[in-house]
Amino acid sequence: MREVADVGDDLGPAKVLHVREPALSLRAVLVVDNVARGPSIGGLRIAPDVSVEECFRLARAMTMKNAAAGLPHGGGKSVLWGDPRMPTDRKEALIRAFAHALRNERDYIFGPDMGTDEVCMAWVNDEIGRAVGLPAAIGGIPLDQLGATGWGLSSSADVAARRCGVPLEGARVAIQGFGAVGKHAARFLATKGAVLIAASDTRGTLVNDGGIDFARLMQLKESGRPVCDYPEGHRLDRDAILDVPCDIWIPAARPDVVREDNVQRLKARLVLEGANIPITAKAEAILHAKGVLVVPDFIANAGGVICAAMEYRGATQAAAFEAIEEKIRANTETVLDRVAKEGILPRVAAERLAIDRVRAAMTTRRFNIM
Ligand code: NAD
């Protein structure tokens, strides 16, 4: 296994902290990547098999995402090695012990990730007062319930759809993954006149060219039923969502769902990446060459992290939603301007935007002193 020292570069990581508490069999690691823009924010993941190198890559992704979102935060990530489905009392003991061990590590603010949720963040907050994604009862903004990321996607859609000549009024939308991100994207896009014509989940794809009532579909999903239980429309297999001709295609499920081997199936004019890395780099390049505009994940889906950063400052829900709209609209404009001017891929433009912001911040900080 490669060590972080082999993969680090001039941006980071700033530190890698291993935590062990033998009495509890606690083993965990924190990677703080870069804090030039401010204390790092990133999730605490509980998993049995994440390497330190992978933790570093996830921390770097947060550096990029937070910088691209224009937040005064760097990127970090922590991993607690264990079974995410362990009994709650053991999970609480481990998380509290890990947080306590990092009580003086002011360069890192905990957030939820795979294997942790708002209750876990409440435990961290109780220990050290440094966590985002808290329950509403202690001042948290329930971002998945409110649809912060879906709101951000619809803000990005406003800008991107105009750029590729797709009026949102009447635009036909297909969404892969009708969960927290997908269903709220459908809801906010509907308020702008877009029509949901297809949606999928792990159990299948529902297609209805006449339009799907997103509110009825949301209600159905929230009662635990699959999208294919919606009474009107065609029911197809899970991956048939890739073949649905539409104006806007939104992957909001899993990484790497569009690859070189299936990218030709997509028949959309605009793709807004709701999930993280849903399309491989090669497939993104193929879409670009075909004239399909793809707004990269960390530009389009930053609503959740912007909401979390606003929560950390004690902002109201309304202020958080205003910040999401303003930042994501501006970032989408900037990225698409660079694409048009420099003839580069949207992802390259997005990465440059983020790195420029990190480097600009680094020139103002003491680690600039040789
Ligand atoms: P979720 O669990 O609420 O919803 C995911 C949905 O996708 C579920 O309906 C599930 O049935 C469906 N799904 C899973 N695999 C599928 C497949 N192969 N084909 C079709 N449907 C499939 O999760 P979420 O919070 O909506 O997150 C979705 C994605 O977006 C994840 O990759 C997540 O990391 C990313 N993301 C989420 C947020 C957020 O604010 N929640 C922010 C940024 C990125």
Side-chain angles (χ1 to χ4, degrees):
M1 189 197 301
R2 286 200 300 169
E3 285 302 312
V4 170
D6 302 327
V7 289
D9 55 24
D10 60 326
L11 297 183
K15 44 188 131 171
V16 180
L17 295 176
H18 288 268
V19 173
R20 291 185 71 237
E21 176 56 81
L24 279 174
S25 301
L26 165 67
R27 282 181 61 244
V29 69
L30 164 68
V31 177
V32 173
D33 180 40
N34 184 296
V35 289
R37 294 180 59 85
S40 67
I41 291 188
L44 164 60
R45 180 168 295 192
I46 299 186
D49 54 359
V50 181
S51 68
V52 175
E53 182 190 336
E54 195 177 345
C55 184
F56 161 64
R57 284 195 281 110
L58 294 165
R60 173 58 54 84
M62 290 310 297
T63 300
M64 302 291 282
K65 189 167 194 166
N66 292 343
L71 297 173
H73 291 287
K77 199 84 178 185
S78 56
V79 172
L80 195 160
W81 284 293
D83 181 353
R85 288 157 305 178
M86 69 180 83
T88 306
D89 52 351
R90 169 136 181 88
K91 198 180 244 193
E92 178 170 0
L94 289 176
I95 289 176
R96 282 185 180 275
F98 185 36
H100 181 76
L102 296 179
R103 64 195 176 282
N104 296 321
E105 188 41 63
R106 304 203 162 271
D107 279 346
Y108 179 58
I109 299 162
F110 283 83
D113 195 77
M114 286 158 63
T116 59
D117 60 12
E118 59 178 25
V119 175
C120 300
M121 292 306 108
W123 297 330
V124 172
N125 195 58
D126 189 35
E127 290 291 330
I128 62 170
R130 227 171 34 249
V132 295
L134 300 171
I138 55 168
I141 303 177
L143 60 93
D144 276 345
Q145 213 176 307
L146 296 169
T149 301
W151 171 242
L153 283 165
S154 79
S155 306
S156 185
D158 266 341
V159 174
R162 197 169 10 89
R163 293 289 184 109
C164 56
V166 174
L168 278 187
E169 181 68 48
R172 294 164 313 138
V173 179
I175 299 185
Q176 181 189 50
F178 207 69
V181 172
K183 68 187 179 188
H184 288 292
R187 176 166 72 91
F188 290 119
L189 283 168
T191 64
K192 298 176 179 180
V195 183
L196 180 68
I197 59 153
S200 69
D201 57 23
T202 47
R203 289 185 271 177
T205 296
L206 169 78
V207 183
N208 186 334
D209 286 329
I212 299 163
D213 181 336
F214 73 88
R216 271 170 73 203
L217 189 61
M218 276 175 83
Q219 217 174 19
L220 186 138
K221 276 297 284 178
E222 280 157 18
S223 69
R225 292 161 63 198
V227 290
C228 285
D229 274 7
Y230 187 85
E232 297 114 31
H234 304 288
R235 293 163 195 85
L236 305 171
D237 67 59
R238 187 193 72 181
D239 292 341
I241 190 83
L242 285 162
D243 306 304
V244 177
C246 58
D247 297 306
I248 303 177
W249 197 79
I250 302 181
R254 307 276 312 147
D256 294 335
V257 291
V258 180
R259 305 166 304 270
E260 261 182 300
D261 62 302
N262 64 5
V263 62
Q264 300 299 351
R265 289 170 63 180
L266 273 195
K267 295 173 198 78
R269 293 163 73 187
L270 168 64
V271 176
L272 298 164
E273 295 185 345
N276 295 322
I277 42 167
I279 305 184
T280 63
K282 282 193 175 148
E284 279 187 355
I286 292 169
L287 289 170
H288 184 72
K290 283 172 68 176
V292 179
L293 177 56
V294 180
V295 184
D297 46 11
F298 65 89
I299 297 298
N301 77 12
V305 76
I306 297 171
C307 192
M310 293 296 284
E311 174 196 287
Y312 195 65
R313 280 161 183 71
T316 61
Q317 286 175 19
F321 270 56
E322 208 175 297
I324 292 168
E325 178 171 24
E326 187 194 316
K327 285 178 185 296
I328 292 187
R329 286 184 78 98
N331 285 334
T332 309
E333 294 275 13
T334 307
V335 166
L336 300 187
D337 280 348
R338 287 187 175 196
V339 169
K341 214 156 80 191
E342 299 169 38
I344 50 179
L345 291 172
R347 181 162 298 274
V348 174
E351 283 169 359
R352 284 189 193 166
L353 173 78
I355 288 176
D356 287 354
R357 287 178 178 170
V358 174
R359 289 204 193 285
M362 285 172 80
T363 63
T364 69
R365 302 301 293 265
R366 68 164 289 113
F367 38 72
N368 192 39
I369 302 166
M370 298 300 274

